[in-house]
Amino acid sequence: KQWYQRRVRGPFHRSCDPVCFACARTVAPDTPMTDLWFRLKRLLKLGGGDTSNGVQIRPCPCPEPELSAPVGEVSTANCARNNDKMKAIIFLSSTRTGPSYYGMGSWGDKVGAVVKEYLELQNFTVSVWDPKNPQYEMLKQSLTLATDLSIFPKWLLKRDDELIKADAFFVCCTEYNSALPPALSNMMDHYPQSSYRHRPCALLTYAVSHLGGARVHSSLKTFITDLGMLTIPTMTHVQDCHLKFDKDGVLTDQNTKRYLTRQCSELRWYSEAIKSYRAIRTLDEPIPVAPIVAGSQTDRN
């Protein structure tokens, strides 16, 4: 029954085409289903290929799947490997300083330090971007629409190059009145979408409440997706973050450790997959340019 559900029933429900009961591939409509059913009965009777009783199983009638390109043309020389160093950027979101009821400074600094440690275990070279240092001014002009880049400080342009070369991103987002922190969106909006696009991004929310910043999840995911990043499925919510660390800033909660390990491992997997495929095939992005039409407003429309 387990073999049937795994090899036959699953693919059958994902497609309306006939499915081979032996190899779980879709087959041509003119393939005799009686032959496929006969093969299934023999496989079940013989325990999946046992020929000790002398009955020889006939070969599967399904043709081999066609490859989109010959195997020899695909080079994996530039593919990412598990032992390759990959670049990741952690975005912090809080600018809180000074003492509070829950301790000194921002809890985002402690969360970011733990995330950096877990990413380094996955062989990432990590850079932490804190909106407090350097201080980002309120956005007046982004790099997207600027015609003269000399008006921007050199560190801002250098960080834009760092964004382009990054392989993955990790956002540690707190919750300000059930909304995104202004410091996070202000910092990330300084850079164009093309600097973020087509890279995986992991999302983590934290708060001193029992929800762990879950109320900001939807708006955060929409914001990150609109910048062109690909959010990975696993997400971490750090609930009651003031109770999850000791006085030295060491994470003590086992559930959070388990989620972070899984999330960072998944981020590594997506980074390797995307970087490996980009080494084989690049995505051409022609920029559409609207023609300048002289004449009246009606002609231009």
Side-chain angles (χ1 to χ4, degrees):
K1 182 178 178 181
Q2 293 177 356
W3 178 89
Y4 175 78
Q5 291 178 345
R6 182 173 66 253
R7 298 294 301 276
V8 181
R9 189 169 179 267
F12 181 78
H13 283 276
R14 288 196 297 268
S15 173
C16 295
D17 298 328
V19 175
C20 175
F21 294 111
C23 66
R25 298 177 187 155
T26 55
V27 298
D30 56 351
T31 303
M33 297 302 293
T34 54
D35 184 57
L36 300 178
W37 178 250
F38 177 75
R39 178 171 172 77
L40 172 64
K41 291 175 63 177
R42 288 205 170 184
L43 282 176
L44 294 178
K45 180 180 179 181
L46 300 178
D50 183 14
T51 57
S52 58
N53 57 1
V55 180
Q56 183 66 33
I57 298 179
R58 291 177 293 175
C60 178
C62 298
E64 290 295 324
E66 296 182 0
L67 298 177
S68 57
V71 179
E73 295 183 3
V74 179
S75 175
T76 59
N78 297 325
C79 292
R81 303 297 182 186
N82 192 39
N83 56 354
D84 292 345
K85 280 285 186 180
M86 306 190 77
K87 300 177 182 178
I89 296 178
I90 299 176
F91 296 100
L92 303 184
S93 58
S94 178
T95 55
R96 287 193 175 111
T97 57
S100 67
Y101 289 108
Y102 299 101
M104 177 68 67
S106 170
W107 284 101
D109 298 336
K110 299 180 179 63
V111 174
V114 171
V115 171
K116 181 176 183 293
E117 178 183 349
Y118 275 76
L119 285 177
E120 288 175 345
L121 292 177
Q122 296 294 332
N123 213 8
F124 276 105
T125 301
V126 184
S127 175
V128 181
W129 288 24
D130 191 343
K132 300 189 296 293
N133 185 26
Q135 185 71 40
Y136 280 84
E137 297 181 355
M138 186 63 66
L139 181 63
K140 299 177 182 178
Q141 180 68 283
S142 66
L143 295 176
T144 309
L145 305 176
T147 57
D148 183 12
L149 298 181
S150 61
I151 63 176
F152 297 100
K154 292 183 179 180
W155 64 265
L156 191 69
L157 301 177
K158 184 178 180 180
R159 282 200 162 188
D160 185 46
D161 295 334
E162 187 178 350
L163 275 177
I164 297 174
K165 297 177 182 178
D167 299 306
F169 305 104
F170 203 113
V171 178
C172 299
C173 183
T174 186
E175 179 184 283
Y176 280 8
N177 300 321
S178 303
L180 282 174
L184 175 66
S185 57
N186 180 69
M187 175 176 62
M188 300 185 72
D189 283 340
H190 274 81
Y191 306 98
Q193 293 179 341
S194 58
S195 300
Y196 300 101
R197 195 170 295 163
H198 307 145
R199 263 78 56 80
C201 180
L203 306 180
L204 178 146
T205 62
Y206 66 93
V208 295
S209 66
H210 66 282
L211 295 177
R215 289 175 293 188
V216 79
H217 169 225
S218 299
S219 55
L220 175 62
K221 189 168 185 178
T222 303
F223 174 67
I224 294 299
T225 303
D226 195 62
L227 287 176
M229 289 174 276
L230 309 172
T231 58
I232 65 175
T234 303
M235 184 173 180
T236 304
H237 301 286
V238 184
Q239 307 168 349
D240 300 318
C241 62
H242 60 291
L243 304 176
K244 302 297 177 64
F245 297 87
D246 60 13
K247 61 180 181 180
D248 297 324
V250 179
L251 181 64
T252 57
D253 184 63
Q254 298 300 322
N255 289 332
T256 305
K257 290 181 179 181
R258 185 172 67 252
Y259 277 109
L260 273 178
T261 301
R262 177 181 175 183
Q263 190 176 26
C264 293
S265 176
E266 191 172 87
L267 182 65
R268 174 74 192 196
W269 185 88
Y270 274 90
S271 304
E272 289 180 356
I274 294 176
K275 186 175 183 179
S276 299
Y277 191 74
R278 290 173 69 179
I280 299 174
R281 180 180 180 272
T282 58
L283 179 63
D284 297 326
E285 297 178 313
I287 301 177
V289 179
I292 300 177
V293 181
S296 62
Q297 181 68 33
T298 305
D299 296 335
R300 289 196 292 271
N301 291 339

